[in-house]
Amino acid sequence: MATAETVAIIDYGSGNLRSAEKAFARAAAEAGTGQDVFVTADPATIAAAGRIVLPGVGAFADCRRGLLAIDGMGEALEDAVRRRRTPFFGICVGMQLMAEWGHEHGRHAGLGWLKGTVEPIAPADPALKIPHMGWNDLRIEAAHPVLDGIAAGTHVYFVHSYAFHPADPADLLASVDYGGPVTALVGRDNMIGSQFHPEKSQDAGLRLIANFLRWQP
């Protein structure tokens, strides 16, 4: 049974679920936060959790379709995240789905939790390959509790071809340079989202996860 001491990782057929589960469980153990971390596709269980994590790998439209195809999931997320302000962490496409629109193979509605769009990465240097894959150095754009102890220049791991363009600069917490600025971390109210994969970003990723687990928005 989900409680305030649980972290629900949403299973909707997309995402590196087991790696995420292991990373969040390890961070909870090492930080001593005491939360139980589990993967679930049950909207009622997710709605009752103390923290919610939305991973995502693949195309924007496919991920949105898979998420909302689960009966009651859209309503459960709106109630928990938007109305009751349960702490929420979106990862990769899970972060992109927080946007209003995604422009990947057409124009597709997102969850609309943050104003902005998801667009193809277009590096100014044509030698830079797409997808953007590998390690890159964070640029800290704004102070935030989830960035506690994470300095500018910290290496984090990316695998993506599209990037979130927040309409409000205040939502941008960190970026990286890949032939121009690319959004790395966004946040507003009780929500954060990382384009990079914290579960693959070694110590820095575990620190970010632990900060999220301790965060009281």
Side-chain angles (χ1 to χ4, degrees), residues 121-125 128 132 136 139 163 165 175-183:
I121 301 173
D125 181 353
L128 293 174
H132 171 209
N136 208 325
R139 294 176 170 179
H165 293 253
S175 64
V176 294
D177 180 21
Y178 195 71
V182 174
T183 296

Side-chain angles (χ1 to χ4, degrees), residues 12 45 53 110 126 149 152 166 179 187 204:
Y12 61 107
T45 301
V53 179

Side-chain angles (χ1 to χ4, degrees), residues 76-164:
L77 286 174
E78 282 291 326
D79 179 61
V81 179
R82 301 287 280 166
R83 287 189 281 276
R84 292 189 288 109
R85 293 178 175 262
T86 300
F88 173 89
F89 192 162
I91 298 173
C92 198
V93 181
M95 176 267 257
Q96 294 179 4
L97 289 174
M98 297 164 70
E100 295 174 291
W101 299 97
H103 294 155
E104 182 175 359
H105 309 303
R107 186 172 187 259
H108 308 281
L111 296 171
W113 293 351
L114 297 179
K115 292 187 179 298
T117 61
V118 176
E119 309 286 350
I121 301 173
D125 181 353
L128 293 174
K129 296 180 179 180
I130 302 297
H132 171 209
M133 182 182 300
W135 298 87
N136 208 325
D137 301 344
L138 282 180
R139 294 176 170 179
I140 307 302
E141 306 289 350
H144 192 282
V146 299
L147 286 168
D148 181 44
I150 297 174
T154 295
H155 299 301
V156 291
Y157 188 82
F158 292 82
V159 183
H160 66 126
S161 301
Y162 291 78
F164 182 32

